[in-house]
Amino acid sequence: YFLEILVEVQKQLGLLPEKTSRLRDGSASAGGTRNGARKVNDQKVRAEGWVCSSGLRVIFCERKNSHVFSIHACALGGVRLELGHPLPGTVRKDTDWGLSYLLGQAWTKGTSKHNTRQIDTLVEWLAAGLDGFSGSNTLGLQLPGLSRDWDTLSHLFTEVLWGPTVPEEELGHSKRVFEDEIRSIEDHTSQLCSKLFQETLYEHHPYGRI
C-alpha cells in the first residue's frame, strides 16, 4: 500500500514520465508555462513560478549571495486525504490513518541503488539533510544542502523521490518509533494539550485525528 500511496503522490507531483516531457507551451524543456516573476519583500530576490502540463507547480527563488539551497517536493496527502479519500480496497480509514506520516519516515530509507546506511553517510558527509514529511494535508520530500554539492545531492533527491524501496526492516523500525511517539504523548504536557485541542476543535474532521 505504501507504493500505491507513492504512485498517487508521483501523479500529483507530475513525475510520471509521459507527463513531464511536455509542457503547456508545447516545448520539451524542463521549464514550463511561466506565470511571470513576482518580487518578494527584498527587492534583490525574485521568485518565479510556472505550471507544467501535468499540473505540477514550480516555484523558484534565487538568492545569488547564498551558498545553500533548499528543494521541496510536496503533494496533497496527510491525514486529511487518508480519511477523506482512502485508497479503495487497500486502506481502511478507520484503522490505517497515519500511513502518510509513516511513509514520510521511511521514504528515505533505501533505493534500488543505495541502502539506508549509504544514503545517511552521503547526506551527513555533505552536511545536508534529506527527509520525508507529512502534515495535516501534505506529503513530500525535502533536501537542504550546500550549493557546491548540488549535482550530487540533486541526483540523490531524484533517486529517492522516484524510486524508494521502503525495505521491510526499515519500515518496521519506523513503525516502532512512530508507536513510541504516540505512547509518549501523555508524558509531554504541550503535546497532550495540542492533541486534546485538535480533537475538541475538529471533532468530526480529519484534523481532529492528528
Side-chain angles (χ1 to χ4, degrees):
Y1 51 80
F2 280 100
L3 293 180
E4 293 188 44
I5 293 176
L6 185 60
V7 168
E8 291 299 317
V9 172
Q10 289 178 337
K11 286 181 180 179
Q12 293 188 46
L13 289 174
L15 293 176
L16 298 184
E18 65 273 14
K19 293 187 177 182
T20 53
S21 58
R22 293 176 177 270
L23 307 175
R24 284 186 178 177
D25 59 4
S27 66
S29 67
T33 302
R34 301 202 171 206
N35 296 331
R38 62 183 181 85
K39 293 183 179 180
V40 189
N41 293 333
D42 183 355
Q43 295 298 318
K44 297 181 180 180
V45 178
R46 294 175 62 85
E48 297 182 72
W50 59 92
V51 181
C52 298
S53 62
S54 62
L56 174 67
R57 295 175 180 269
V58 180
I59 298 176
F60 173 75
C61 181
E62 182 181 12
R63 295 179 182 271
K64 295 184 178 180
N65 295 327
S66 176
H67 297 290
V68 300
F69 72 87
S70 179
I71 181 172
H72 294 70
C74 184
L76 292 176
V79 68
R80 183 175 183 177
L81 188 64
E82 293 172 4
L83 298 178
H85 302 282
L87 295 176
T90 305
V91 178
R92 295 176 56 189
K93 66 178 183 180
D94 56 337
T95 59
D96 295 334
W97 63 280
L99 291 177
S100 294
Y101 181 84
L102 188 56
L103 174 59
Q105 298 299 306
W107 198 333
T108 62
K109 300 303 182 181
T111 67
S112 59
K113 296 180 180 179
H114 298 91
N115 59 37
T116 181
R117 179 172 296 181
Q118 292 172 326
I119 293 175
D120 290 343
T121 299
L122 178 59
V123 170
E124 291 181 9
W125 181 58
L126 296 177
L130 178 61
D131 300 288
F133 63 87
S134 173
S136 301
N137 58 357
T138 57
L139 177 65
L141 194 66
Q142 59 188 359
L143 170 67
L146 297 175
S147 299
R148 68 185 186 190
D149 301 320
W150 166 254
D151 287 342
T152 300
L153 290 173
S154 62
H155 280 88
L156 179 63
F157 183 87
T158 303
E159 180 183 324
V160 173
L161 183 66
W162 269 89
T165 54
V166 192
E168 190 68 30
E169 62 275 13
E170 295 296 339
L171 180 60
H173 174 71
S174 297
K175 184 177 180 181
R176 290 190 295 272
V177 172
F178 189 15
E179 292 172 343
D180 288 341
E181 291 178 358
I182 294 175
R183 284 192 290 265
S184 67
I185 288 179
E186 295 189 0
D187 297 331
H188 300 84
T189 306
S190 60
Q191 293 182 15
L192 180 59
C193 288
S194 177
K195 176 178 180 292
L196 294 175
F197 177 79
Q198 295 290 98
E199 291 175 348
T200 303
L201 182 62
Y202 299 105
E203 183 178 1
H204 301 295
H205 190 278
Y207 289 175
R209 305 291 288 274
I210 296 175

